[in-house]
Amino acid sequence: MNFYEDLGIAMDNLSKRGAFLTVKNENIVNTMTIAWGYVGYSWNRPFFVAMVRPQRYTQELIKYAKDYTISIPYSDDFKEALTICGTKSGRDIDKEKEGEIKFIPSQVVDSPVVDNCDMYYECEIKYVDLIDKDKFPEELKKNYPKEDYHYLYYGEIVKAYKK
Ligand SMILES: Cc1cc2nc3c(=O)[nH]c(=O)nc-3n(C[C@H](O)[C@H](O)[C@H](O)COP(=O)(O)O)c2cc1C
């Protein structure tokens, strides 16, 4: 399907319920909950931009990874899993086990997706940026009381599909 199909409902669920950002690096797979992110079109290609704070285990993995996936549920079936994956670190727990989720192979990229979600984006990392606090607006700095400005991972959407 085209990357912009279902975009309204996908963004509504991402921002209200959250989604899984899953990364595989060598043999390690980890997922974390995200609620911020962008789907857009740049350099004649579709992109997802994921925002990762420096202290996340996900950041340790994604900085060496080639790709990541976004799995978005459209129901409350994953409420508990999104809470666990959004409050506990893969450094301390096995999220697949404790979150009672299942990683299944992606169609194109190495990083898996979370089984039974409703919308998937498989993304190849093409560009990484770090928010520059000197250029960042004062009114939004309350989002960074620890000055842990996000890394922005521009992932080219190489596959978008529904369950
Ligand atoms: C609803 C929700 C949305 C979140 N969005 C983000 C996000 O966009 N970026 C981020 O770095 N952390 C976000 N977090 C926090 C991480 O999911 C959380 O710190 C997680 O435990 C990190 O896991 P890790 O250490 O295994 O990477 C969010 C948490 C929740 C509950």
Side-chain angles (χ1 to χ4, degrees), residues 30 32-35 51 53 56-58 86 88-90 95:
N30 186 53
M32 80 168 196
T33 302
I34 61 165
M51 306 179 67
R53 294 190 196 248
R56 309 292 185 233
Y57 182 49
T58 297
K88 297 192 173 171
S89 178
K95 294 194 186 175

Side-chain angles (χ1 to χ4, degrees), residues 19-56:
F20 299 97
L21 162 60
T22 307
V23 188
K24 180 174 178 189
N25 180 336
E26 309 258 320
N27 292 324
I28 301 171
V29 177
N30 186 53
T31 193
M32 80 168 196
T33 302
I34 61 165
W36 297 350
Y38 310 78
V39 172
Y41 193 67
S42 300
W43 311 294
N44 289 323
R45 297 176 186 194
F47 275 85
F48 190 94
V49 182
M51 306 179 67
V52 183
R53 294 190 196 248
Q55 67 270 38
R56 309 292 185 233

Side-chain angles (χ1 to χ4, degrees), residues 53-118:
R53 294 190 196 248
Q55 67 270 38
R56 309 292 185 233
Y57 182 49
T58 297
Q59 168 58 17
E60 262 179 55
L61 301 176
I62 201 173
K63 70 179 174 187
Y64 299 118
K66 294 194 309 291
D67 53 61
Y68 64 81
T69 66
I70 303 295
S71 306
I72 310 177
Y74 288 176
S75 74
D76 281 334
D77 293 358
F78 287 87
K79 201 169 179 204
E80 187 63 29
L82 286 166
T83 300
I84 291 168
C85 296
T87 51
K88 297 192 173 171
S89 178
R91 290 189 191 96
D92 308 317
I93 64 158
D94 176 343
K95 294 194 186 175
E96 194 176 27
K97 201 167 146 211
E98 295 211 16
E100 295 182 16
I101 52 174
K102 190 174 162 211
F103 297 127
I104 56 166
S106 283
Q107 294 185 10
V108 176
V109 303
D110 280 348
S111 299
V113 292
V114 175
D115 196 17
N116 262 319
C117 289
D118 293 277

Side-chain angles (χ1 to χ4, degrees), residues 2 10 15 31 39 53 72 100 120 124 134 145 149 163:
N2 239 313
S15 58
T31 193
V39 172
R53 294 190 196 248
I72 310 177
E100 295 182 16
Y120 296 108
E124 284 179 1
D134 297 328
Y149 291 88
K163 183 161 62 179

